[in-house]
Amino acid sequence: MAMQPAATLGDRSFLQQAAADLRALRAGPSALWIIFLIKFLESGAHFAIYNVLAVYLTEDLKYGDVAAGTIAGTWLTAVSVVMFFSGFIADAVGIRKAMLLAVGSCLLGRLVMTVGRSDPVIPVIGLFITTWGVAALLPTMTGAVRRYTTPQTVAFGFSLFYVIMNVGALVAPQTVSFMRTRVKGGVDLDWAGGVHLTSSQALFAVATGVTLLAALASLLLPRDEAVVTNGVAAPAVQRNPLDIVKEVFKDRQFFGFLLFVSLLVFVRLIFQHAHLTWPKYTLREVDKDFDFAGLWSLNPALVIVLTPFVTAFTKKLYAFWCIVT
């Protein structure tokens, strides 16, 4: 008996199913593709800073390893905590306003990180200004993807969203590599009175420019007078964030979800530790000019290639068991 190829879903091949899902997404609202564009831009800007953050705190701002790790760890912890509450704000004010607030936070913070070097505390303040933006963007954009897709396209929509995030995460380390090799000595801005930017500050300047593009793209999102959920239009209703919190906490399933997410925090910590330790380890143990960012880009590259296949093979499985296994 001939065996059915592994890369089939029912009566359709994987490629046929993906093409059909993509056509269905293209027929959806343009706001979904604006969200994808913002995700790409923000992912590139965020991961560029994230990849070089530990090295920047030590090389440019002269913080010791412990102090630099404490600053970065505190910022990442703050992002995780704020992320939990930011979703309620997005539900209350609407997608467009939440996106503008989040991207605006990132834009201001990254601008401060770019220009503030006279006092080592100022760039750190800029880093923490981005906390709200970095935290709020993920729940806001995932909520937008859910809103602008249908039950038939939601799985592929989130898969594409994740792939786009990793495309940005792939571009980011390549940008870091370029700045640390081609712009190793920094940049002198004669037009700005001879201001000198280190390679890291020049990278932050690029990230700030990319974030500005994301802010402009956010202005193209539809206003929240009406929303489309699962293909059905309905008037937008402004709600009090506290009312949303109370409603959520009345759901018993929420606490099971909260426990599950809390356990996954340990997985997140492993990745964060790797991001912060890898650059310094390679620069000290391999070579002071080692391309730590370029090698790290293998991770998002593999994710980009494998995610569509994993989505295809797990489309009919429960998300819980897919995560656990």
Side-chain angles (χ1 to χ4, degrees), residues 12-300:
R12 283 182 166 186
S13 71
F14 164 72
L15 293 178
Q16 288 174 327
Q17 182 67 46
D21 287 339
L22 184 59
R23 286 194 297 270
L25 282 182
R26 290 179 61 187
S30 59
L32 177 64
W33 296 95
I34 296 175
I35 291 294
F36 286 158
L37 173 62
I38 296 171
K39 184 58 182 175
F40 168 72
L41 295 172
E42 173 54 28
S43 180
H46 169 69
F47 282 106
I49 295 174
Y50 192 14
N51 273 276
V52 79
L53 179 60
V55 175
Y56 164 73
L57 289 171
T58 300
E59 286 185 350
D60 285 37
L61 303 185
K62 308 305 179 184
Y63 286 103
D65 290 341
V66 175
T70 301
I71 292 170
T74 303
W75 173 64
L76 291 169
T77 301
V79 168
S80 297
V81 173
V82 172
M83 189 180 298
F84 175 79
F85 297 99
S86 61
F88 300 121
I89 303 298
D91 288 340
V93 304
I95 297 297
R96 186 175 187 270
K97 291 180 181 178
M99 289 294 298
L100 288 172
L101 286 172
V103 177
S105 167
C106 291
L107 181 61
L108 176 60
R110 289 164 185 167
L111 180 61
V112 172
M113 292 179 69
T114 301
V115 300
R117 192 178 172 223
S118 58
D119 186 331
V121 176
I122 294 177
V124 175
I125 293 175
L127 177 67
F128 278 90
I129 290 175
T130 68
T131 300
W132 175 263
V134 174
L137 277 171
L138 182 59
T140 303
M141 285 192 282
T142 53
V145 172
R146 184 69 183 88
R147 174 177 294 180
Y148 297 129
T149 54
T150 65
Q152 291 73 34
T153 60
V154 63
F156 186 78
F158 276 112
S159 175
L160 185 57
F161 177 80
Y162 189 56
V163 168
I164 289 172
M165 180 189 77
N166 279 278
V167 172
L170 177 62
V171 172
Q174 302 302 321
T175 307
V176 172
S177 297
F178 177 86
M179 300 302 290
R180 289 186 63 85
T181 54
R182 303 295 181 87
V183 197
K184 185 177 180 180
V187 178
D188 291 314
L189 303 179
D190 296 331
W191 55 270
V195 174
H196 176 78
L197 299 180
T198 66
S199 62
S200 292
Q201 285 182 299
L203 177 69
F204 297 161
V206 173
T208 302
V210 171
T211 307
L212 177 60
L213 294 178
L216 295 175
S218 298
L219 293 172
L220 300 177
L221 289 169
R223 297 185 181 273
D224 297 302
E225 287 86 358
V227 299
V228 178
T229 304
N230 295 336
V232 179
V237 178
Q238 298 293 324
R239 302 179 62 189
N240 189 313
L242 292 178
D243 293 335
I244 299 175
V245 172
K246 292 177 182 178
E247 182 180 319
V248 170
F249 273 81
K250 288 180 181 179
D251 189 348
R252 294 180 59 184
Q253 292 183 343
F254 169 74
F255 292 97
F257 171 76
L258 187 61
L259 175 61
F260 181 61
V261 172
S262 299
L263 294 175
L264 292 179
V265 167
F266 295 104
V267 178
R268 182 180 176 87
L269 287 175
I270 293 173
F271 279 97
Q272 290 180 352
H273 186 278
H275 265 289
L276 296 176
T277 305
W278 169 255
K280 287 189 176 182
Y281 170 77
T282 54
L283 291 177
R284 294 174 182 178
E285 298 298 326
V286 181
D287 185 80
K288 63 182 180 64
D289 295 320
F290 183 76
D291 185 14
F292 62 86
L295 190 59
W296 187 268
S297 63
L298 288 174
N299 177 57

